[in-house]
Amino acid sequence: VDALMSLADRALRAASAAEDPGDAVLARANAWQSLSEAARLGSADALVGMAECLFQGQGTVCNRPASLRMLRRASALDGGRAAASMWLGDFLRSQWGNDPNPEEADAAYMSGLQCGVVESECGPYTFGLRRKLRREADLSVQTEICYRLATLATRNLNTPNRQTIRK
């Protein structure tokens, strides 16, 4: 899984650095293929990557409802992944979905805060640098979720409700 994720990351970096549009399209298609294979093997990170590709139309056709389904699947794996929960909350709060759902978004954010730190998705890479980077990434995402929740709570306190506006 880690090798496939590395290939996908390398392909996405090559796509963003490519000067020829054809090379960029090919690199994004290669990234999609690597992410698809890693997701088939059960990688939550790959599902998050695929959701991003589906959302932006990189390597595949832009399909935001499918992106939402991928984020839901990723947030459900292994008790939920913090990054998947954050993206899911962002998606549900925004106009990207058909109908914004703040309550479900807040629940997604809270599940991201409750996620345990995932050491690694593969056995051989559970020690050393990979473990440290993974832990730092998960803690960084959880910090970002705290910021979002605090910002949203402040906005909700400062926004008068509809009954006050009518008076």
Side-chain angles (χ1 to χ4, degrees), residues 3-47:
L4 290 167
M5 293 300 293
S6 178
L7 285 172
D9 183 52
R10 195 173 304 140
L12 288 173
R13 280 186 276 131
S16 65
E19 293 178 11
D20 180 27
D23 290 342
V25 168
L26 182 61
R28 287 186 184 103
N30 288 338
W32 176 261
Q33 184 177 7
S34 296
L35 288 170
S36 298
E37 183 63 25
R40 191 184 64 74
L41 295 172
S43 169
D45 287 335
L47 288 170

mmCIF file of all heavy atoms in Angstrom, residues 3-47:
data_model
loop_
_atom_site.group_PDB
_atom_site.id
_atom_site.type_symbol
_atom_site.label_atom_id
_atom_site.label_comp_id
_atom_site.label_asym_id
_atom_site.label_seq_id
_atom_site.Cartn_x
_atom_site.Cartn_y
_atom_site.Cartn_z
ATOM 1 N N ALA A 3 3.880 1.620 -1.106
ATOM 2 C CA ALA A 3 4.536 1.790 -2.408
ATOM 3 C C ALA A 3 3.568 2.400 -3.423
ATOM 4 O O ALA A 3 3.942 3.294 -4.194
ATOM 5 C CB ALA A 3 5.065 0.452 -2.918
ATOM 6 N N LEU A 4 2.331 1.944 -3.420
ATOM 7 C CA LEU A 4 1.322 2.503 -4.326
ATOM 8 C C LEU A 4 1.022 3.967 -3.989
ATOM 9 O O LEU A 4 0.876 4.801 -4.885
ATOM 10 C CB LEU A 4 0.035 1.679 -4.263
ATOM 11 C CG LEU A 4 0.111 0.290 -4.879
ATOM 12 C CD1 LEU A 4 -1.097 -0.549 -4.481
ATOM 13 C CD2 LEU A 4 0.230 0.383 -6.383
ATOM 14 N N MET A 5 0.953 4.280 -2.704
ATOM 15 C CA MET A 5 0.713 5.664 -2.301
ATOM 16 C C MET A 5 1.884 6.560 -2.697
ATOM 17 O O MET A 5 1.697 7.697 -3.112
ATOM 18 C CB MET A 5 0.460 5.744 -0.793
ATOM 19 C CG MET A 5 -0.833 5.090 -0.349
ATOM 20 S SD MET A 5 -2.312 5.804 -1.103
ATOM 21 C CE MET A 5 -2.283 7.433 -0.370
ATOM 22 N N SER A 6 3.077 6.013 -2.599
ATOM 23 C CA SER A 6 4.261 6.767 -3.018
ATOM 24 C C SER A 6 4.235 7.024 -4.524
ATOM 25 O O SER A 6 4.560 8.124 -4.985
ATOM 26 C CB SER A 6 5.526 6.001 -2.626
ATOM 27 O OG SER A 6 6.664 6.684 -3.048
ATOM 28 N N LEU A 7 3.847 6.007 -5.297
ATOM 29 C CA LEU A 7 3.726 6.181 -6.751
ATOM 30 C C LEU A 7 2.669 7.237 -7.100
ATOM 31 O O LEU A 7 2.880 8.068 -7.984
ATOM 32 C CB LEU A 7 3.362 4.854 -7.416
ATOM 33 C CG LEU A 7 4.469 3.815 -7.540
ATOM 34 C CD1 LEU A 7 3.890 2.494 -8.028
ATOM 35 C CD2 LEU A 7 5.557 4.315 -8.469
ATOM 36 N N ALA A 8 1.550 7.201 -6.400
ATOM 37 C CA ALA A 8 0.487 8.177 -6.658
ATOM 38 C C ALA A 8 0.958 9.587 -6.322
ATOM 39 O O ALA A 8 0.725 10.528 -7.094
ATOM 40 C CB ALA A 8 -0.758 7.828 -5.842
ATOM 41 N N ASP A 9 1.646 9.729 -5.206
ATOM 42 C CA ASP A 9 2.147 11.045 -4.812
ATOM 43 C C ASP A 9 3.155 11.568 -5.832
ATOM 44 O O ASP A 9 3.105 12.733 -6.231
ATOM 45 C CB ASP A 9 2.784 10.952 -3.421
ATOM 46 C CG ASP A 9 3.254 12.297 -2.919
ATOM 47 O OD1 ASP A 9 2.444 13.251 -2.933
ATOM 48 O OD2 ASP A 9 4.429 12.404 -2.511
ATOM 49 N N ARG A 10 4.033 10.697 -6.262
ATOM 50 C CA ARG A 10 5.034 11.079 -7.266
ATOM 51 C C ARG A 10 4.361 11.483 -8.583
ATOM 52 O O ARG A 10 4.748 12.457 -9.227
ATOM 53 C CB ARG A 10 5.997 9.914 -7.488
ATOM 54 C CG ARG A 10 7.259 10.318 -8.209
ATOM 55 C CD ARG A 10 8.278 9.196 -8.263
ATOM 56 N NE ARG A 10 8.589 8.721 -6.923
ATOM 57 C CZ ARG A 10 8.769 7.441 -6.618
ATOM 58 N NH1 ARG A 10 8.666 6.509 -7.546
ATOM 59 N NH2 ARG A 10 9.069 7.080 -5.394
ATOM 60 N N ALA A 11 3.336 10.748 -8.971
ATOM 61 C CA ALA A 11 2.626 11.059 -10.216
ATOM 62 C C ALA A 11 1.893 12.398 -10.119
ATOM 63 O O ALA A 11 1.900 13.178 -11.076
ATOM 64 C CB ALA A 11 1.643 9.942 -10.559
ATOM 65 N N LEU A 12 1.290 12.681 -8.975
ATOM 66 C CA LEU A 12 0.592 13.955 -8.812
ATOM 67 C C LEU A 12 1.568 15.133 -8.808
ATOM 68 O O LEU A 12 1.275 16.193 -9.354
ATOM 69 C CB LEU A 12 -0.254 13.948 -7.542
ATOM 70 C CG LEU A 12 -1.501 13.073 -7.600
ATOM 71 C CD1 LEU A 12 -2.176 12.985 -6.235
ATOM 72 C CD2 LEU A 12 -2.478 13.597 -8.640
ATOM 73 N N ARG A 13 2.741 14.919 -8.194
ATOM 74 C CA ARG A 13 3.763 15.976 -8.242
ATOM 75 C C ARG A 13 4.253 16.187 -9.661
ATOM 76 O O ARG A 13 4.473 17.323 -10.096
ATOM 77 C CB ARG A 13 4.922 15.651 -7.309
ATOM 78 C CG ARG A 13 4.606 15.996 -5.862
ATOM 79 C CD ARG A 13 5.787 15.828 -4.943
ATOM 80 N NE ARG A 13 5.846 14.424 -4.567
ATOM 81 C CZ ARG A 13 6.937 13.672 -4.612
ATOM 82 N NH1 ARG A 13 8.078 14.170 -5.001
ATOM 83 N NH2 ARG A 13 6.894 12.412 -4.260
ATOM 84 N N ALA A 14 4.423 15.103 -10.417
ATOM 85 C CA ALA A 14 4.857 15.216 -11.813
ATOM 86 C C ALA A 14 3.796 15.929 -12.645
ATOM 87 O O ALA A 14 4.128 16.718 -13.532
ATOM 88 C CB ALA A 14 5.140 13.828 -12.394
ATOM 89 N N ALA A 15 2.530 15.663 -12.352
ATOM 90 C CA ALA A 15 1.444 16.314 -13.095
ATOM 91 C C ALA A 15 1.441 17.822 -12.850
ATOM 92 O O ALA A 15 1.237 18.606 -13.775
ATOM 93 C CB ALA A 15 0.095 15.721 -12.695
ATOM 94 N N SER A 16 1.671 18.227 -11.609
ATOM 95 C CA SER A 16 1.659 19.660 -11.325
ATOM 96 C C SER A 16 2.891 20.366 -11.880
ATOM 97 O O SER A 16 2.840 21.557 -12.166
ATOM 98 C CB SER A 16 1.533 19.915 -9.818
ATOM 99 O OG SER A 16 2.671 19.426 -9.146
ATOM 100 N N ALA A 17 3.978 19.623 -12.069
ATOM 101 C CA ALA A 17 5.205 20.226 -12.605
ATOM 102 C C ALA A 17 5.297 20.122 -14.130
ATOM 103 O O ALA A 17 6.158 20.758 -14.737
ATOM 104 C CB ALA A 17 6.427 19.570 -11.972
ATOM 105 N N ALA A 18 4.419 19.335 -14.739
ATOM 106 C CA ALA A 18 4.496 19.103 -16.188
ATOM 107 C C ALA A 18 4.166 20.366 -16.972
ATOM 108 O O ALA A 18 3.220 21.080 -16.654
ATOM 109 C CB ALA A 18 3.551 17.983 -16.597
ATOM 110 N N GLU A 19 4.976 20.628 -17.976
ATOM 111 C CA GLU A 19 4.729 21.781 -18.848
ATOM 112 C C GLU A 19 3.780 21.418 -19.988
ATOM 113 O O GLU A 19 3.028 22.253 -20.464
ATOM 114 C CB GLU A 19 6.047 22.311 -19.397
ATOM 115 C CG GLU A 19 6.935 22.905 -18.316
ATOM 116 C CD GLU A 19 8.263 23.389 -18.846
ATOM 117 O OE1 GLU A 19 8.430 23.454 -20.085
ATOM 118 O OE2 GLU A 19 9.135 23.694 -18.027
ATOM 119 N N ASP A 20 3.832 20.160 -20.410
ATOM 120 C CA ASP A 20 2.974 19.681 -21.493
ATOM 121 C C ASP A 20 1.658 19.174 -20.895
ATOM 122 O O ASP A 20 1.669 18.311 -20.013
ATOM 123 C CB ASP A 20 3.690 18.562 -22.252
ATOM 124 C CG ASP A 20 2.863 18.015 -23.398
ATOM 125 O OD1 ASP A 20 2.029 18.767 -23.939
ATOM 126 O OD2 ASP A 20 3.069 16.836 -23.754
ATOM 127 N N PRO A 21 0.509 19.686 -21.344
ATOM 128 C CA PRO A 21 -0.778 19.232 -20.802
ATOM 129 C C PRO A 21 -1.005 17.730 -20.966
ATOM 130 O O PRO A 21 -1.613 17.097 -20.112
ATOM 131 C CB PRO A 21 -1.815 20.021 -21.594
ATOM 132 C CG PRO A 21 -1.086 21.188 -22.149
ATOM 133 C CD PRO A 21 0.337 20.766 -22.313
ATOM 134 N N GLY A 22 -0.504 17.149 -22.037
ATOM 135 C CA GLY A 22 -0.656 15.709 -22.250
ATOM 136 C C GLY A 22 0.084 14.906 -21.204
ATOM 137 O O GLY A 22 -0.406 13.875 -20.725
ATOM 138 N N ASP A 23 1.286 15.370 -20.830
ATOM 139 C CA ASP A 23 2.049 14.693 -19.780
ATOM 140 C C ASP A 23 1.330 14.790 -18.434
ATOM 141 O O ASP A 23 1.330 13.838 -17.656
ATOM 142 C CB ASP A 23 3.448 15.300 -19.651
ATOM 143 C CG ASP A 23 4.335 14.987 -20.854
ATOM 144 O OD1 ASP A 23 4.002 14.046 -21.611
ATOM 145 O OD2 ASP A 23 5.362 15.685 -21.020
ATOM 146 N N ALA A 24 0.726 15.942 -18.177
ATOM 147 C CA ALA A 24 -0.008 16.124 -16.926
ATOM 148 C C ALA A 24 -1.213 15.186 -16.849
ATOM 149 O O ALA A 24 -1.473 14.575 -15.810
ATOM 150 C CB ALA A 24 -0.447 17.576 -16.780
ATOM 151 N N VAL A 25 -1.935 15.053 -17.946
ATOM 152 C CA VAL A 25 -3.105 14.162 -17.977
ATOM 153 C C VAL A 25 -2.668 12.716 -17.752
ATOM 154 O O VAL A 25 -3.297 11.975 -16.976
ATOM 155 C CB VAL A 25 -3.864 14.313 -19.319
ATOM 156 C CG1 VAL A 25 -4.893 13.213 -19.496
ATOM 157 C CG2 VAL A 25 -4.515 15.674 -19.403
ATOM 158 N N LEU A 26 -1.588 12.310 -18.392
ATOM 159 C CA LEU A 26 -1.075 10.945 -18.233
ATOM 160 C C LEU A 26 -0.628 10.700 -16.792
ATOM 161 O O LEU A 26 -0.921 9.643 -16.211
ATOM 162 C CB LEU A 26 0.078 10.697 -19.206
ATOM 163 C CG LEU A 26 0.684 9.306 -19.176
ATOM 164 C CD1 LEU A 26 -0.355 8.252 -19.538
ATOM 165 C CD2 LEU A 26 1.874 9.236 -20.122
ATOM 166 N N ALA A 27 0.060 11.672 -16.203
ATOM 167 C CA ALA A 27 0.525 11.519 -14.824
ATOM 168 C C ALA A 27 -0.654 11.409 -13.856
ATOM 169 O O ALA A 27 -0.638 10.591 -12.934
ATOM 170 C CB ALA A 27 1.428 12.688 -14.445
ATOM 171 N N ARG A 28 -1.700 12.218 -14.074
ATOM 172 C CA ARG A 28 -2.887 12.143 -13.211
ATOM 173 C C ARG A 28 -3.608 10.806 -13.364
ATOM 174 O O ARG A 28 -4.127 10.256 -12.400
ATOM 175 C CB ARG A 28 -3.828 13.303 -13.498
ATOM 176 C CG ARG A 28 -3.317 14.622 -12.973
ATOM 177 C CD ARG A 28 -4.339 15.743 -13.137
ATOM 178 N NE ARG A 28 -3.766 16.993 -12.715
ATOM 179 C CZ ARG A 28 -3.334 17.942 -13.538
ATOM 180 N NH1 ARG A 28 -3.444 17.793 -14.841
ATOM 181 N NH2 ARG A 28 -2.810 19.046 -13.061
ATOM 182 N N ALA A 29 -3.643 10.284 -14.570
ATOM 183 C CA ALA A 29 -4.251 8.969 -14.802
ATOM 184 C C ALA A 29 -3.451 7.883 -14.083
ATOM 185 O O ALA A 29 -4.032 6.957 -13.502
ATOM 186 C CB ALA A 29 -4.341 8.677 -16.295
ATOM 187 N N ASN A 30 -2.123 7.996 -14.096
ATOM 188 C CA ASN A 30 -1.278 7.038 -13.368
ATOM 189 C C ASN A 30 -1.510 7.139 -11.863
ATOM 190 O O ASN A 30 -1.544 6.130 -11.157
ATOM 191 C CB ASN A 30 0.198 7.263 -13.694
ATOM 192 C CG ASN A 30 0.552 6.820 -15.100
ATOM 193 O OD1 ASN A 30 -0.138 5.995 -15.692
ATOM 194 N ND2 ASN A 30 1.618 7.392 -15.636
ATOM 195 N N ALA A 31 -1.677 8.371 -11.367
ATOM 196 C CA ALA A 31 -1.952 8.557 -9.943
ATOM 197 C C ALA A 31 -3.286 7.913 -9.575
ATOM 198 O O ALA A 31 -3.391 7.226 -8.549
ATOM 199 C CB ALA A 31 -1.972 10.046 -9.598
ATOM 200 N N TRP A 32 -4.293 8.122 -10.403
ATOM 201 C CA TRP A 32 -5.609 7.529 -10.156
ATOM 202 C C TRP A 32 -5.513 6.009 -10.109
ATOM 203 O O TRP A 32 -6.104 5.371 -9.244
ATOM 204 C CB TRP A 32 -6.588 7.977 -11.227
ATOM 205 C CG TRP A 32 -7.939 7.338 -11.082
ATOM 206 C CD1 TRP A 32 -8.410 6.263 -11.773
ATOM 207 C CD2 TRP A 32 -8.963 7.699 -10.159
ATOM 208 N NE1 TRP A 32 -9.675 5.953 -11.344
ATOM 209 C CE2 TRP A 32 -10.036 6.814 -10.353
ATOM 210 C CE3 TRP A 32 -9.077 8.699 -9.205
ATOM 211 C CZ2 TRP A 32 -11.205 6.895 -9.611
ATOM 212 C CZ3 TRP A 32 -10.254 8.780 -8.467
ATOM 213 C CH2 TRP A 32 -11.295 7.882 -8.672
ATOM 214 N N GLN A 33 -4.746 5.426 -11.024
ATOM 215 C CA GLN A 33 -4.603 3.978 -11.058
ATOM 216 C C GLN A 33 -3.931 3.466 -9.777
ATOM 217 O O GLN A 33 -4.367 2.473 -9.197
ATOM 218 C CB GLN A 33 -3.797 3.560 -12.287
ATOM 219 C CG GLN A 33 -3.681 2.072 -12.470
ATOM 220 C CD GLN A 33 -2.927 1.720 -13.751
ATOM 221 O OE1 GLN A 33 -2.393 2.577 -14.426
ATOM 222 N NE2 GLN A 33 -2.898 0.439 -14.049
ATOM 223 N N SER A 34 -2.882 4.144 -9.328
ATOM 224 C CA SER A 34 -2.199 3.730 -8.095
ATOM 225 C C SER A 34 -3.112 3.880 -6.883
ATOM 226 O O SER A 34 -3.161 2.999 -6.010
ATOM 227 C CB SER A 34 -0.925 4.557 -7.888
ATOM 228 O OG SER A 34 0.001 4.315 -8.917
ATOM 229 N N LEU A 35 -3.842 4.981 -6.815
ATOM 230 C CA LEU A 35 -4.773 5.188 -5.701
ATOM 231 C C LEU A 35 -5.878 4.138 -5.708
ATOM 232 O O LEU A 35 -6.268 3.628 -4.650
ATOM 233 C CB LEU A 35 -5.386 6.590 -5.774
ATOM 234 C CG LEU A 35 -4.463 7.755 -5.440
ATOM 235 C CD1 LEU A 35 -5.135 9.072 -5.790
ATOM 236 C CD2 LEU A 35 -4.053 7.729 -3.986
ATOM 237 N N SER A 36 -6.382 3.809 -6.886
ATOM 238 C CA SER A 36 -7.441 2.796 -6.993
ATOM 239 C C SER A 36 -6.966 1.444 -6.475
ATOM 240 O O SER A 36 -7.698 0.751 -5.755
ATOM 241 C CB SER A 36 -7.900 2.649 -8.440
ATOM 242 O OG SER A 36 -8.445 3.834 -8.914
ATOM 243 N N GLU A 37 -5.762 1.079 -6.827
ATOM 244 C CA GLU A 37 -5.215 -0.206 -6.372
ATOM 245 C C GLU A 37 -4.999 -0.201 -4.858
ATOM 246 O O GLU A 37 -5.313 -1.176 -4.179
ATOM 247 C CB GLU A 37 -3.894 -0.500 -7.103
ATOM 248 C CG GLU A 37 -3.287 -1.835 -6.769
ATOM 249 C CD GLU A 37 -4.158 -3.025 -7.172
ATOM 250 O OE1 GLU A 37 -4.978 -2.896 -8.095
ATOM 251 O OE2 GLU A 37 -4.002 -4.091 -6.541
ATOM 252 N N ALA A 38 -4.475 0.905 -4.315
ATOM 253 C CA ALA A 38 -4.276 0.999 -2.868
ATOM 254 C C ALA A 38 -5.618 0.975 -2.136
ATOM 255 O O ALA A 38 -5.739 0.363 -1.067
ATOM 256 C CB ALA A 38 -3.489 2.256 -2.521
ATOM 257 N N ALA A 39 -6.632 1.613 -2.690
ATOM 258 C CA ALA A 39 -7.961 1.597 -2.081
ATOM 259 C C ALA A 39 -8.544 0.192 -2.106
ATOM 260 O O ALA A 39 -9.206 -0.234 -1.152
ATOM 261 C CB ALA A 39 -8.887 2.570 -2.794
ATOM 262 N N ARG A 40 -8.305 -0.522 -3.191
ATOM 263 C CA ARG A 40 -8.784 -1.904 -3.280
ATOM 264 C C ARG A 40 -8.166 -2.764 -2.184
ATOM 265 O O ARG A 40 -8.784 -3.696 -1.670
ATOM 266 C CB ARG A 40 -8.451 -2.482 -4.651
ATOM 267 C CG ARG A 40 -9.128 -3.817 -4.938
ATOM 268 C CD ARG A 40 -8.689 -4.404 -6.256
ATOM 269 N NE ARG A 40 -7.279 -4.745 -6.306
ATOM 270 C CZ ARG A 40 -6.707 -5.798 -5.694
ATOM 271 N NH1 ARG A 40 -7.442 -6.587 -4.968
ATOM 272 N NH2 ARG A 40 -5.423 -6.037 -5.800
ATOM 273 N N LEU A 41 -6.949 -2.417 -1.778
ATOM 274 C CA LEU A 41 -6.266 -3.142 -0.708
ATOM 275 C C LEU A 41 -6.671 -2.654 0.685
ATOM 276 O O LEU A 41 -6.149 -3.125 1.684
ATOM 277 C CB LEU A 41 -4.750 -3.029 -0.888
ATOM 278 C CG LEU A 41 -4.200 -3.694 -2.147
ATOM 279 C CD1 LEU A 41 -2.724 -3.361 -2.333
ATOM 280 C CD2 LEU A 41 -4.408 -5.196 -2.096
ATOM 281 N N GLY A 42 -7.579 -1.664 0.750
ATOM 282 C CA GLY A 42 -8.122 -1.220 2.026
ATOM 283 C C GLY A 42 -7.501 0.032 2.619
ATOM 284 O O GLY A 42 -7.635 0.273 3.813
ATOM 285 N N SER A 43 -6.860 0.850 1.830
ATOM 286 C CA SER A 43 -6.208 2.056 2.333
ATOM 287 C C SER A 43 -7.182 3.228 2.443
ATOM 288 O O SER A 43 -7.773 3.661 1.460
ATOM 289 C CB SER A 43 -5.054 2.446 1.396
ATOM 290 O OG SER A 43 -4.564 3.722 1.713
ATOM 291 N N ALA A 44 -7.324 3.744 3.662
ATOM 292 C CA ALA A 44 -8.166 4.925 3.869
ATOM 293 C C ALA A 44 -7.530 6.144 3.218
ATOM 294 O O ALA A 44 -8.227 6.988 2.656
ATOM 295 C CB ALA A 44 -8.365 5.169 5.365
ATOM 296 N N ASP A 45 -6.209 6.243 3.267
ATOM 297 C CA ASP A 45 -5.521 7.371 2.635
ATOM 298 C C ASP A 45 -5.775 7.393 1.130
ATOM 299 O O ASP A 45 -5.928 8.456 0.530
ATOM 300 C CB ASP A 45 -4.010 7.306 2.891
ATOM 301 C CG ASP A 45 -3.651 7.671 4.317
ATOM 302 O OD1 ASP A 45 -4.428 8.391 4.957
ATOM 303 O OD2 ASP A 45 -2.580 7.237 4.787
ATOM 304 N N ALA A 46 -5.806 6.225 0.515
ATOM 305 C CA ALA A 46 -6.066 6.151 -0.926
ATOM 306 C C ALA A 46 -7.483 6.612 -1.244
ATOM 307 O O ALA A 46 -7.703 7.304 -2.237
ATOM 308 C CB ALA A 46 -5.842 4.729 -1.438
ATOM 309 N N LEU A 47 -8.435 6.262 -0.390
ATOM 310 C CA LEU A 47 -9.813 6.718 -0.600
ATOM 311 C C LEU A 47 -9.910 8.237 -0.494
ATOM 312 O O LEU A 47 -10.626 8.874 -1.267
ATOM 313 C CB LEU A 47 -10.756 6.052 0.401
ATOM 314 C CG LEU A 47 -11.041 4.572 0.160
ATOM 315 C CD1 LEU A 47 -11.791 3.978 1.342
ATOM 316 C CD2 LEU A 47 -11.823 4.382 -1.121
#
